[in-house]
Amino acid sequence: MTLLTLLLCGLINNPIQAQIEEGPRAQSVYAELAGPGLLFSANYDTRFSKARNGWGARAGAGYLSADNNSILTLPVQINYLLGKQGKYFEVGLGATFVSTKGSNNDDNFFVFDDASTTIGTMTFGYRYQPIDGGFNFRASLNPIFNKSNFIPYYFGLSFGYTF
């Protein structure tokens, strides 16, 4: 957590010497397996300025239902893309709202209580996002945490489209 804080403070206080890739603001939609959405999520990502890299944000939703049990996740993150020519290192910090509903039937494989919580999420990864749009790909390490737990080795993989 300290490393992420230092990195984000450095990005805010020292606008990295790497060039911002001017052009239309990058926007992406993608499906993600694991990652900040925990199981599976559909996401939208955008840059805050007319650039392909730099500061941006993502928001998504995930839902899974089986045996009268369900889980809903809503991940949101602020992120920064460092790199050029469609190949970026991504760093992000955010939160995921998690809501579970369950049937308390021991015959079910999945058994959830009716509960909701919010967990913290981080992203450190590679993003391929073409400058002129098209197929995008992301692979990331996504530590997750709350007030009593920290899971440093959680991963995410996504595929989508950049426009």
Side-chain angles (χ1 to χ4, degrees):
M1 186 69 177
T2 303
L3 176 63
L4 179 65
T5 303
L6 291 173
L7 181 58
L8 287 175
C9 287
L11 291 173
I12 292 168
N13 294 328
N14 181 14
I16 301 210
Q17 299 304 319
Q19 295 179 341
I20 297 294
E21 289 182 329
E22 293 293 329
R25 180 177 66 170
Q27 300 179 72
S28 300
V29 291
Y30 54 89
E32 184 171 44
L33 181 62
L38 300 183
L39 303 172
F40 171 81
S41 61
N43 298 271
Y44 170 76
D45 182 281
T46 187
R47 300 299 91 208
F48 292 145
S49 64
K50 291 185 178 182
R52 304 308 277 179
N53 56 7
W55 287 104
R58 68 174 274 178
Y63 183 79
L64 179 66
S65 179
D67 296 331
N68 294 322
N69 293 280
S70 63
I71 182 169
L72 168 73
T73 61
L74 301 172
V76 293
Q77 274 191 341
I78 298 292
N79 55 41
Y80 191 88
L81 299 183
L82 178 62
K84 58 184 178 177
Q85 300 299 314
K87 298 173 184 82
Y88 306 102
F89 173 70
E90 177 179 359
V91 60
L93 181 64
T96 299
F97 173 77
V98 181
S99 176
T100 59
K101 303 250 185 251
S103 67
N104 292 334
N105 182 346
D106 291 335
D107 293 336
N108 294 334
F109 184 77
F110 295 105
V111 178
F112 294 130
D113 290 329
D114 291 348
S116 62
T117 189
T118 301
I119 60 171
T121 62
M122 295 182 271
T123 296
F124 303 95
Y126 171 78
R127 182 188 293 203
Y128 172 72
Q129 178 174 284
I131 293 173
D132 51 357
F135 169 80
N136 68 43
F137 167 80
R138 298 170 64 252
S140 57
L141 175 65
N142 300 103
I144 56 177
F145 57 93
N146 64 15
K147 61 184 172 186
S148 59
N149 295 303
F150 178 70
I151 301 172
Y153 302 114
Y154 197 70
F155 297 90
L157 187 64
S158 70
F159 301 92
Y161 186 79
T162 298
F163 49 98

